[in-house]
Amino acid sequence: MSKLPYILAIESSCDETAAAIVQGGERLVSSVVASQIATHQPFGGVVPELASREHLRNIVPVVHETLREARMSLEQLDAIAVTKGPGLAGALLVGVSYAKALAFGADKPLIAVNHLEGHIHAVLLEQRQAGNNNLQFPVLALVVSGGHTHLYLAEQVGHGWKYRNIGHTRDDAAGEAFDKVAKLLGLGYPGGPILDRLSKFGDPKAVRFTLSQLKHADRNSRGPRKHAFDANSQRFDFSYSGIKTAVLRHVETHNMFAAIEERRAALLAIPRPTIDDYRRVCDQHTLDLVASFQRAMVGDLVGKTLEAAQETASATLLVTGGVAANSELRETFERRGAQEGIPVHFPSRPLSTDNAAMIAAAAYPKWLNREFADMEVSGEAHLPLR
Ligand code: KG4
Ligand code: ZN
């Protein structure tokens, strides 16, 4: 048997410049992620122009470092993979252009990968590493990140994978809600990991977010529930702009703005705040609000996903994307999944947020199918996953 292929992948869809080499869709040879958090932090969110500029600055050293860590040269690679979309247009352009140049210069095939498919394959890569090669189908995947809250039914067709979107957020993505609430509370960017760690110190039952603040109006007008799942008519949508507004109302009615400004200024004066610093600048009321917000988000994500799993008779659940790093989300999915008899798999935390190992893993089935991109390929900000 010929040796398993080495695929070098490049990821630049948002605010991480990443490269990785994975052999045979499974063996992680090297992986480098250059985060731009420090660049975007003062602005409380990703600034697209700055992201493109940082990618331009980072991409060559990141790819060199990936080859160096792997002790490999370009000649030893079997293919170059790259994130084609979805993501920021200017950011994607940097990765796609560089990958095309590398592939052309080294005379290697080029493989275009959907970023969301990458997130799904982050789980599959690690499941294969753990020896779990027999997933039970149907597989339902929740991709929950700063840009997406999407549910896909995934099936394997030959070597390849096909996806059917059965739900997504109508407005804000879950990670976006975490980031916006953290910003509103003066806690900085990116909000998810900070709120995750602070939640442990608050009372999740202190502030009640009602169901109507979390659910989309359309969910009421779905009509009587059908017995058989019909992908064309039944959707499992999410909506997170309501809860963000509810947090804002709470802040207004409790006159929290002055304290928030003080907190923002105090944190800006600390170069790399630790969890103790964050705790110190938060009163108990704020910690309770944070814990209650997270509890509501997690309850909604887990509840709706398990409802979708039940109605699609899914046998396996994959939960992936940046928000899948959230401790309460993981614990709740594990507990509720076990109660309902459905195995739930996550990526390890480093592979939950953006990285290139997941892109290399998703490229492997395409390599087996000889699904190569031509030199005309370009980034697509709104690339759908099918
Ligand atoms: O997948 P990712 O790195 O980038 C996108 O494709 O969007 O996800 C980033 C998002 C951010 O919104 C960040 O706040 C959120 O994931 N995130 C978290 C946690 N870690 C990252 N949200 C909640 N809890 C976490 N521990
Ligand atoms: Zn992502």
Side-chain angles (χ1 to χ4, degrees), residues 11 13-14 115-116 119 143 145-148 321-322 352-355 358:
E11 153 65 38
S13 65
C14 189
H115 181 80
L116 303 178
H119 275 302
V143 183
S145 69
H148 297 89
S352 294
T353 48
D354 287 349
N355 65 86
M358 67 186 197

Side-chain angles (χ1 to χ4, degrees), residues 370-381:
R370 294 291 183 262
E371 251 181 84
F372 298 136
D374 58 34
M375 284 293 147
E376 307 304 308
V377 67
S378 55
E380 264 185 56

Side-chain angles (χ1 to χ4, degrees), residues 177-188 190-192 194-195 264:
F178 271 92
D179 293 339
K180 285 179 176 169
V181 164
K183 187 177 178 184
L184 168 68
L185 296 177
L187 289 165
I194 303 168
L195 298 191
R264 201 190 310 277

